[in-house]
PDB file of all heavy atoms in Angstrom:
ATOM      1  N   THR A   5    -134.371 -68.947 -26.858  1.00  0.00           N
ATOM      2  CA  THR A   5    -133.419 -68.079 -27.555  1.00  0.00           C
ATOM      3  C   THR A   5    -132.656 -67.196 -26.579  1.00  0.00           C
ATOM      4  O   THR A   5    -131.431 -67.035 -26.676  1.00  0.00           O
ATOM      5  CB  THR A   5    -134.155 -67.202 -28.581  1.00  0.00           C
ATOM      6  OG1 THR A   5    -134.820 -68.039 -29.526  1.00  0.00           O
ATOM      7  CG2 THR A   5    -133.181 -66.288 -29.310  1.00  0.00           C
ATOM      8  N   THR A   9    -128.642 -67.469 -25.801  1.00  0.00           N
ATOM      9  CA  THR A   9    -127.828 -66.268 -26.021  1.00  0.00           C
ATOM     10  C   THR A   9    -127.031 -65.918 -24.778  1.00  0.00           C
ATOM     11  O   THR A   9    -125.829 -65.602 -24.850  1.00  0.00           O
ATOM     12  CB  THR A   9    -128.727 -65.090 -26.425  1.00  0.00           C
ATOM     13  OG1 THR A   9    -129.453 -65.428 -27.612  1.00  0.00           O
ATOM     14  CG2 THR A   9    -127.905 -63.837 -26.659  1.00  0.00           C
ATOM     15  N   GLY A  55    -149.136 -90.768 -26.670  1.00  0.00           N
ATOM     16  CA  GLY A  55    -148.984 -89.340 -26.919  1.00  0.00           C
ATOM     17  C   GLY A  55    -149.548 -88.496 -25.799  1.00  0.00           C
ATOM     18  O   GLY A  55    -148.956 -87.489 -25.403  1.00  0.00           O
ATOM     19  N   VAL A  69    -140.550 -76.351 -12.643  1.00  0.00           N
ATOM     20  CA  VAL A  69    -139.255 -75.698 -12.854  1.00  0.00           C
ATOM     21  C   VAL A  69    -139.441 -74.202 -13.064  1.00  0.00           C
ATOM     22  O   VAL A  69    -138.735 -73.369 -12.478  1.00  0.00           O
ATOM     23  CB  VAL A  69    -138.528 -76.327 -14.064  1.00  0.00           C
ATOM     24  CG1 VAL A  69    -137.245 -75.551 -14.375  1.00  0.00           C
ATOM     25  CG2 VAL A  69    -138.212 -77.787 -13.795  1.00  0.00           C
ATOM     26  N   GLY A 113    -151.915 -76.313 -19.788  1.00  0.00           N
ATOM     27  CA  GLY A 113    -152.211 -77.567 -19.104  1.00  0.00           C
ATOM     28  C   GLY A 113    -153.672 -77.675 -18.706  1.00  0.00           C
ATOM     29  O   GLY A 113    -154.285 -78.745 -18.807  1.00  0.00           O
ATOM     30  N   LEU A 114    -154.247 -76.564 -18.249  1.00  0.00           N
ATOM     31  CA  LEU A 114    -155.663 -76.571 -17.880  1.00  0.00           C
ATOM     32  C   LEU A 114    -156.540 -76.843 -19.102  1.00  0.00           C
ATOM     33  O   LEU A 114    -157.489 -77.636 -19.040  1.00  0.00           O
ATOM     34  CB  LEU A 114    -156.029 -75.223 -17.256  1.00  0.00           C
ATOM     35  CG  LEU A 114    -157.484 -75.027 -16.835  1.00  0.00           C
ATOM     36  CD1 LEU A 114    -157.871 -76.042 -15.769  1.00  0.00           C
ATOM     37  CD2 LEU A 114    -157.702 -73.609 -16.311  1.00  0.00           C
ATOM     38  N   VAL A 140    -170.677 -65.653 -21.316  1.00  0.00           N
ATOM     39  CA  VAL A 140    -171.664 -65.169 -20.349  1.00  0.00           C
ATOM     40  C   VAL A 140    -170.973 -65.114 -18.986  1.00  0.00           C
ATOM     41  O   VAL A 140    -170.469 -66.132 -18.491  1.00  0.00           O
ATOM     42  CB  VAL A 140    -172.891 -66.096 -20.294  1.00  0.00           C
ATOM     43  CG1 VAL A 140    -173.865 -65.606 -19.231  1.00  0.00           C
ATOM     44  CG2 VAL A 140    -173.571 -66.157 -21.657  1.00  0.00           C
ATOM     45  N   ALA A 147    -166.978 -63.975  -1.636  1.00  0.00           N
ATOM     46  CA  ALA A 147    -166.467 -65.317  -1.355  1.00  0.00           C
ATOM     47  C   ALA A 147    -167.275 -65.954  -0.233  1.00  0.00           C
ATOM     48  O   ALA A 147    -167.838 -65.261   0.624  1.00  0.00           O
ATOM     49  CB  ALA A 147    -165.000 -65.240  -0.969  1.00  0.00           C
ATOM     50  N   ARG A 188    -131.711 -44.779  11.126  1.00  0.00           N
ATOM     51  CA  ARG A 188    -130.425 -44.383  10.541  1.00  0.00           C
ATOM     52  C   ARG A 188    -129.966 -45.409   9.518  1.00  0.00           C
ATOM     53  O   ARG A 188    -129.477 -45.061   8.434  1.00  0.00           O
ATOM     54  CB  ARG A 188    -129.370 -44.227  11.642  1.00  0.00           C
ATOM     55  CG  ARG A 188    -129.424 -42.891  12.375  1.00  0.00           C
ATOM     56  CD  ARG A 188    -128.146 -42.672  13.175  1.00  0.00           C
ATOM     57  NE  ARG A 188    -128.003 -43.677  14.212  1.00  0.00           N
ATOM     58  CZ  ARG A 188    -128.463 -43.529  15.460  1.00  0.00           C
ATOM     59  NH1 ARG A 188    -129.105 -42.415  15.797  1.00  0.00           N
ATOM     60  NH2 ARG A 188    -128.305 -44.484  16.354  1.00  0.00           N
ATOM     61  N   SER A 198    -139.352 -43.137   0.103  1.00  0.00           N
ATOM     62  CA  SER A 198    -139.098 -43.940   1.294  1.00  0.00           C
ATOM     63  C   SER A 198    -138.919 -43.053   2.512  1.00  0.00           C
ATOM     64  O   SER A 198    -139.443 -43.337   3.595  1.00  0.00           O
ATOM     65  CB  SER A 198    -137.858 -44.813   1.093  1.00  0.00           C
ATOM     66  OG  SER A 198    -138.060 -45.724   0.034  1.00  0.00           O
ATOM     67  N   GLY A 216    -151.134 -55.344  -1.194  1.00  0.00           N
ATOM     68  CA  GLY A 216    -151.539 -56.739  -1.289  1.00  0.00           C
ATOM     69  C   GLY A 216    -152.825 -57.018  -0.540  1.00  0.00           C
ATOM     70  O   GLY A 216    -153.676 -57.785  -1.001  1.00  0.00           O
ATOM     71  N   GLN A 229    -165.334 -57.273  -8.605  1.00  0.00           N
ATOM     72  CA  GLN A 229    -165.862 -57.762  -9.879  1.00  0.00           C
ATOM     73  C   GLN A 229    -166.587 -56.673 -10.666  1.00  0.00           C
ATOM     74  O   GLN A 229    -166.658 -56.730 -11.887  1.00  0.00           O
ATOM     75  CB  GLN A 229    -166.829 -58.924  -9.628  1.00  0.00           C
ATOM     76  CG  GLN A 229    -166.173 -60.102  -8.940  1.00  0.00           C
ATOM     77  CD  GLN A 229    -167.174 -61.135  -8.490  1.00  0.00           C
ATOM     78  OE1 GLN A 229    -168.085 -61.513  -9.227  1.00  0.00           O
ATOM     79  NE2 GLN A 229    -167.035 -61.605  -7.254  1.00  0.00           N
ATOM     80  N   LEU A 272    -134.939 -73.645  12.939  1.00  0.00           N
ATOM     81  CA  LEU A 272    -133.728 -74.437  12.747  1.00  0.00           C
ATOM     82  C   LEU A 272    -132.489 -73.639  13.127  1.00  0.00           C
ATOM     83  O   LEU A 272    -131.523 -74.187  13.668  1.00  0.00           O
ATOM     84  CB  LEU A 272    -133.630 -74.911  11.292  1.00  0.00           C
ATOM     85  CG  LEU A 272    -134.686 -75.932  10.836  1.00  0.00           C
ATOM     86  CD1 LEU A 272    -134.481 -76.296   9.369  1.00  0.00           C
ATOM     87  CD2 LEU A 272    -134.631 -77.192  11.710  1.00  0.00           C
ATOM     88  N   GLY A 328    -172.867 -71.073 -25.733  1.00  0.00           N
ATOM     89  CA  GLY A 328    -173.345 -72.381 -26.163  1.00  0.00           C
ATOM     90  C   GLY A 328    -173.616 -73.311 -24.997  1.00  0.00           C
ATOM     91  O   GLY A 328    -174.505 -74.166 -25.061  1.00  0.00           O
TER      92      GLY A 328
END
Side-chain angles (χ1 to χ4, degrees):
T5 301
T9 302
V69 174
L114 179 61
V140 177
R188 279 195 297 269
S198 297
Q229 299 170 45
L272 293 179

